[in-house]
Amino acid sequence: MRYIFLLGILFVSFNAATQKRLETTELKVLADSLKFVANVPYICEDSILSDKKPGCGDRIFWRIVQQKKSIIPFLIDKLDDTTQTLVPVPNFGGNYTVADIAYTAMQEIIADIPTFQLLGIPFDKEGCGYCAYWNYLREDISHRRHFQKEVRKWEDRLGGRWIESPEVLTCDCRFPHPNGGHYIKEYTLSNWTGYGVHVEYSYLKAHSVGIGANFISESFRPFIGKRRINYTVDATITGLFYNRISALGQRIDLGINVQETSPDFHIFVEHNDKNDFRIGGKVGVSFNNFIYLHYRYSYPLTAYENPYISRHGFVLTLKLNQVPLSTLWGP
């Protein structure tokens, strides 16, 4: 009976591995079919998706987009493929390459990819606008490979979620999106969803040096404005130094700030030496979600208050690399 059970486990494992290989092969073949795309979405007045009119996208293109997150790695692999297709580029001239169509498909799966940030060049506001994208990538194959590398890094390091939406992202189109939605990649503290470490120095009459962990950092889009709100939970162990005497303390912070360089707010509970328990707050600024400078105020919760730890003080914090907890996107 035991051997039959083991054989059953081996069969199921082998079958699952075979199925995964088949799925991978099918997705690769589908990505290879990009060279046969004859119609890329641009402007389409049809209220029902049809590949009979230019500017609506053809069946191959939308079939690729409908694979959602599973095909993203294969599309990124194609971002340096300069094979010419028969699809003309509206307004800018020339034809789409396989790489260009792969990127357009990615833009229909993931919203708001920061194209020019990943290219490392400015948008040509005073000139021909988006032509800077075409000119830069067509200039040298090394530019496409650099772009491919940056897109891969961007896609790997950010968390995200699925949102329902009828909007077609790359096209002035009337028909609803075939996927019924798209992914949004979330910016979080240090552009990560996960955990990391931080070091800090505080001047509180006594000197304080701390090291800790950023357990969770996420973000959400505010109701007003485009910049995302970050929040984090930080745990810190501090070493207090005064009059050649040292003591250990602990602190838990809950903080929020706005994406990138911005105001930063925290509330915290801390325990210093003996029975010195306090509640307090910090207000300051973060520089690119890496360097933080705060003014802090703490209020004692117990009768004992360490005389070398003032209620007012200043804190300098460095938050180091954060590691993704998960790359789950949703459905």
Side-chain angles (χ1 to χ4, degrees), residues 135 217 232 252:
N135 294 340
S217 59
T232 184
I252 297 291

Side-chain angles (χ1 to χ4, degrees), residues 3-28:
Y3 296 112
I4 295 175
F5 179 71
L6 290 174
L7 286 172
I9 292 177
L10 290 172
F11 176 78
V12 170
S13 300
F14 175 79
N15 192 47
T18 302
Q19 181 65 29
K20 186 171 183 62
R21 284 197 298 271
L22 285 173
E23 290 175 358
T24 299
T25 301
E26 290 168 358
L27 289 169
K28 187 177 184 305

Side-chain angles (χ1 to χ4, degrees), residues 6-177:
L6 290 174
L7 286 172
I9 292 177
L10 290 172
F11 176 78
V12 170
S13 300
F14 175 79
N15 192 47
T18 302
Q19 181 65 29
K20 186 171 183 62
R21 284 197 298 271
L22 285 173
E23 290 175 358
T24 299
T25 301
E26 290 168 358
L27 289 169
K28 187 177 184 305
V29 169
L30 194 55
D32 288 340
S33 70
L34 282 163
K35 60 188 174 185
F36 300 117
V37 171
N39 186 354
V40 173
Y42 176 61
I43 295 177
C44 185
E45 296 183 354
D46 291 355
S47 58
I48 299 176
L49 176 59
S50 169
D51 62 351
K52 296 181 180 179
K53 292 184 179 180
C56 297
D58 64 14
R59 293 180 185 275
I60 299 175
F61 178 86
W62 289 114
R63 174 63 177 159
I64 289 169
V65 170
Q66 286 174 323
Q67 306 312 304
K68 298 182 179 178
K69 65 178 181 180
S70 60
I71 203 166
I72 291 294
F74 301 95
L75 294 178
I76 294 176
D77 288 343
K78 292 292 184 181
L79 292 183
D80 63 348
D81 189 335
T82 56
T83 303
Q84 292 285 316
T85 71
L86 299 178
V87 185
V89 178
N91 299 325
F92 301 108
N95 286 2
Y96 281 86
T97 65
V98 166
D100 300 324
I101 297 178
Y103 187 61
T104 304
M106 282 190 64
Q107 290 177 304
E108 282 296 347
I109 299 171
I110 307 172
D112 300 326
I113 302 177
T115 300
F116 285 89
Q117 176 185 328
L118 299 174
L119 286 171
I121 61 172
F123 181 79
D124 189 1
K125 294 180 179 179
E126 305 299 326
C128 59
Y130 208 83
C131 73
Y133 165 87
W134 297 103
N135 294 340
Y136 179 76
L137 290 180
R138 290 170 175 174
E139 188 176 52
D140 195 285
I141 184 61
S142 64
H143 294 172
R144 288 192 182 274
R145 288 170 180 158
H146 171 76
F147 182 55
Q148 179 185 49
K149 178 182 176 181
E150 293 303 310
V151 171
R152 196 186 305 277
K153 284 165 53 180
W154 177 85
E155 195 280 327
D156 283 343
R157 73 189 185 190
L158 298 183
R161 58 190 173 90
W162 174 263
I163 62 170
E164 295 183 358
S165 171
E167 181 183 4
V168 179
L169 301 176
T170 65
C171 171
D172 184 7
C173 299
R174 296 179 59 189
F175 61 84
H177 199 292

Side-chain angles (χ1 to χ4, degrees), residues 153-211:
K153 284 165 53 180
W154 177 85
E155 195 280 327
D156 283 343
R157 73 189 185 190
L158 298 183
R161 58 190 173 90
W162 174 263
I163 62 170
E164 295 183 358
S165 171
E167 181 183 4
V168 179
L169 301 176
T170 65
C171 171
D172 184 7
C173 299
R174 296 179 59 189
F175 61 84
H177 199 292
N179 285 349
H182 48 262
Y183 297 102
I184 58 171
K185 301 291 279 181
E186 298 280 35
Y187 286 88
T188 63
L189 297 181
S190 299
N191 290 341
W192 293 100
T193 301
Y195 63 92
V197 296
H198 62 268
V199 293
E200 69 171 39
Y201 166 77
S202 305
Y203 180 71
L204 311 169
K205 186 180 295 183
H207 299 281
S208 171
V209 176
I211 184 169

